[in-house]
Amino acid sequence: MKKAIICGGSIGGLFAAAALRKSGWQVDVFERTEIELSGRGAGIVTHDVLIEALRAIDITTDDLGVYVKDRTAYDKNGNELLRLPFPQIVTSWDRIHSLLRASHPNEHHHLGRAAIGYRQEQNKAIAILDDKTEIEADLVIGADGFGSNIRAQMLPNVKSISSGYVVWRALANESDLSEEVRSDVFKTFGFFVPTGSQIIGYPIAGIGNDLREGRRRYNFVWYIGVEADELKDMLTDNNGNYYSVSIPPPLVRDDVMKRFTETAHRILPANFAEILEKSEMPFFTPIYDHHSPIMGYGNVGLVGDAACVARPHVGMGVTKAACDALCLAKSLDNFSNIPDALAAYSEERVAASARAHYRARDLGATIFVDPEGGNEDGSRNPNLHEIVSTTATIVI
Ligand SMILES: Cc1cc2nc3c(=O)[nH]c(=O)nc-3n(C[C@H](O)[C@H](O)[C@H](O)COP(=O)(O)OP(=O)(O)OC[C@H]3O[C@@H](n4cnc5c(N)ncnc54)[C@H](O)[C@@H]3O)c2cc1C
């Protein structure tokens, strides 16, 4: 039986584990975090391709998430500017992760074990962990996300690029919202797009994947432009410690939260303002992206965010990781030699990732379009139809 080591036990790593196991591999996953992962309830938009990928690894997709039937853009006064029929299932990171995690045997899942790099040897690769343990396998996969150590060793020139904006996210319980919001914006995939900002939101399951009316939550997402100095300040805690990539939510300073609340009162329409006000602690993440020119070499491959992060506007992170995993398993089935299989995998997935990466950048750029006459009330964004009809849609 061929052996694979996967570094990273989030969605990309577990998808790859399931796809390889189905092809007859013995797969061990090494995850840096010491406790089982949780996504703080972040929302995930699904695509048909993701649902097909879950089925391909024998995961049932019943009750995957909340069905929304249309998309609606609002202006600052809460008036409807545009409504498009757009059936889609929206779910949560936790739901997808828990389905994948349940499919992976506990005895092959190793928490609190971080990979620091690898060594390529004749016909095999060695994963090197932070306690200096070396584990030999036919294949080592870097599924260790955005700041991947495996990618850093394979492709030291690939650096993350800052987008110039952050995303604030929050979740509101359906039961806490007014009847007005529950009967309108809660039911839809909503948008508000004034210059310099972009708000989107959609309903997701409640705690424990509860899909019953009254028990669900609304996932609020706000992209907002920030200058480099301001971002540095936002990423600095009360003790003056600066977190270069993202700051743990409990360490965000009170004055940063106060400024955020004031900006929200100034900019948001009443419906989204109420959702934010009723939400548990909002948190922010700076948006970066990167794209790797290869996704495998020798006996070492990359999947998911380790290989490429497309900005979240295309909502492709999970679907892209799923497609990477299936393509990897298919290539390994098709070639007797692992380096050839990884070369074929790389060729197919680098091109697909690049399409998502550049499409997401284009969509991100629409945040800053400022037409003549301004767009403070969100009604005059010349890209409104494009934003509503192409955000979080599949990029083939
Ligand atoms: C605001 C926002 C909205 C999003 N919306 C969507 C959406 O609607 N649809 C969608 O599909 N995607 C969305 N995404 C993206 C999606 O969450 C990710 O792309 C997806 O989870 C990719 O997973 P991954 O496993 O490749 O990487 P990650 O989820 O980053 O996982 C990497 C894992 O590796 C572990 N790790 C890190 N370093 C090491 C190491 N050295 N050794 C061992 N383990 C390590 C980490 O602890 C982590 O568990 C969104 C992202 C953001 C920020």
Side-chain angles (χ1 to χ4, degrees), residues 7-296:
C7 308
S10 173
I11 286 176
L14 290 175
F15 236 114
L20 290 176
R21 226 177 23 251
K22 197 166 175 192
S23 287
W25 287 67
Q26 180 188 312
V27 187
D28 280 273
V29 172
F30 290 85
E31 163 58 43
R32 174 181 65 181
T33 308
E34 290 180 358
I35 51 171
E36 291 287 351
L37 298 174
S38 140
R40 291 198 293 258
I44 295 290
V45 181
T46 74
H47 309 103
D48 291 348
V49 174
L50 174 62
I51 293 168
E52 284 158 22
L54 286 163
R55 289 183 184 145
I57 53 166
D58 303 326
I59 288 185
T60 168
T61 54
D62 300 341
D63 298 334
L64 188 59
V66 180
Y67 172 79
V68 283
K69 66 179 193 324
D70 48 27
R71 294 180 167 201
T72 312
Y74 299 90
D75 71 8
K76 168 90 168 102
N77 296 317
N79 300 314
E80 207 174 290
L81 294 169
L82 180 67
R83 186 177 281 259
L84 299 176
F86 209 112
Q88 204 160 23
I89 291 174
V90 281
T91 183
S92 66
W93 187 96
D94 286 323
R95 176 68 176 147
I96 306 248
H97 181 265
S98 63
L99 288 168
L100 291 166
R101 178 65 189 90
S103 77
H104 185 64
N106 286 337
E107 64 272 27
H108 292 290
H109 197 71
H110 313 277
L111 292 172
R113 311 289 305 273
I116 55 169
Y118 64 88
R119 203 167 56 246
Q120 174 71 46
E121 292 195 351
Q122 183 81 30
N123 299 328
K124 62 185 178 194
I126 317 284
I128 306 169
L129 304 187
D130 59 350
D131 62 1
K132 304 287 187 288
T133 309
E134 299 198 351
I135 306 170
E136 183 182 306
D138 300 285
L139 177 67
V140 169
I141 294 295
D144 45 347
F146 165 80
S148 168
N149 284 344
I150 304 297
R151 184 194 69 244
Q153 181 175 339
M154 185 186 292
L155 299 163
N157 292 329
V158 172
K159 304 280 183 226
S160 294
I161 313 276
S162 170
S163 64
Y165 49 94
V166 301
V167 61
W168 281 89
R169 287 182 280 171
L171 283 174
N173 290 323
E174 182 178 8
S175 56
D176 292 337
L177 299 171
S178 66
E179 186 47 39
E180 205 182 337
V181 168
R182 287 173 65 160
S183 62
D184 179 26
V185 71
F186 187 86
K187 293 184 165 165
T188 192
F189 195 129
F191 293 78
F192 173 57
V193 291
T195 300
S197 266
Q198 187 179 107
I199 285 95
I200 64 167
Y202 46 85
I204 63 169
I207 308 279
N209 197 44
D210 201 332
L211 293 169
R212 286 173 295 173
E213 204 172 322
R215 308 288 183 93
R216 299 165 299 183
R217 296 170 292 179
Y218 198 78
N219 180 56
F220 172 91
V221 177
W222 183 359
Y223 301 102
I224 182 161
V226 287
E227 299 294 336
D229 286 353
E230 187 188 351
L231 180 59
K232 193 163 182 203
D233 177 64
M234 290 167 72
L235 292 169
T236 303
D237 71 13
N238 270 323
N239 297 321
N241 301 314
Y242 167 63
Y243 299 81
S244 60
V245 176
S246 69
I247 181 166
L251 299 184
V252 175
R253 299 192 323 271
D254 287 349
D255 61 300
V256 172
M257 292 306 296
K258 187 162 173 273
R259 277 206 308 276
F260 171 67
T261 309
E262 285 164 2
T263 311
H265 281 137
R266 203 176 63 248
I267 291 183
L268 297 184
N271 49 11
F272 283 118
E274 179 187 323
I275 288 168
L276 187 59
E277 205 173 298
K278 304 255 172 86
S279 291
E280 292 149 29
M281 190 169 65
F283 63 97
F284 77 91
T285 321
I287 300 292
Y288 295 89
D289 64 12
H290 69 257
H291 179 239
S292 303
I294 58 166
M295 287 172 61

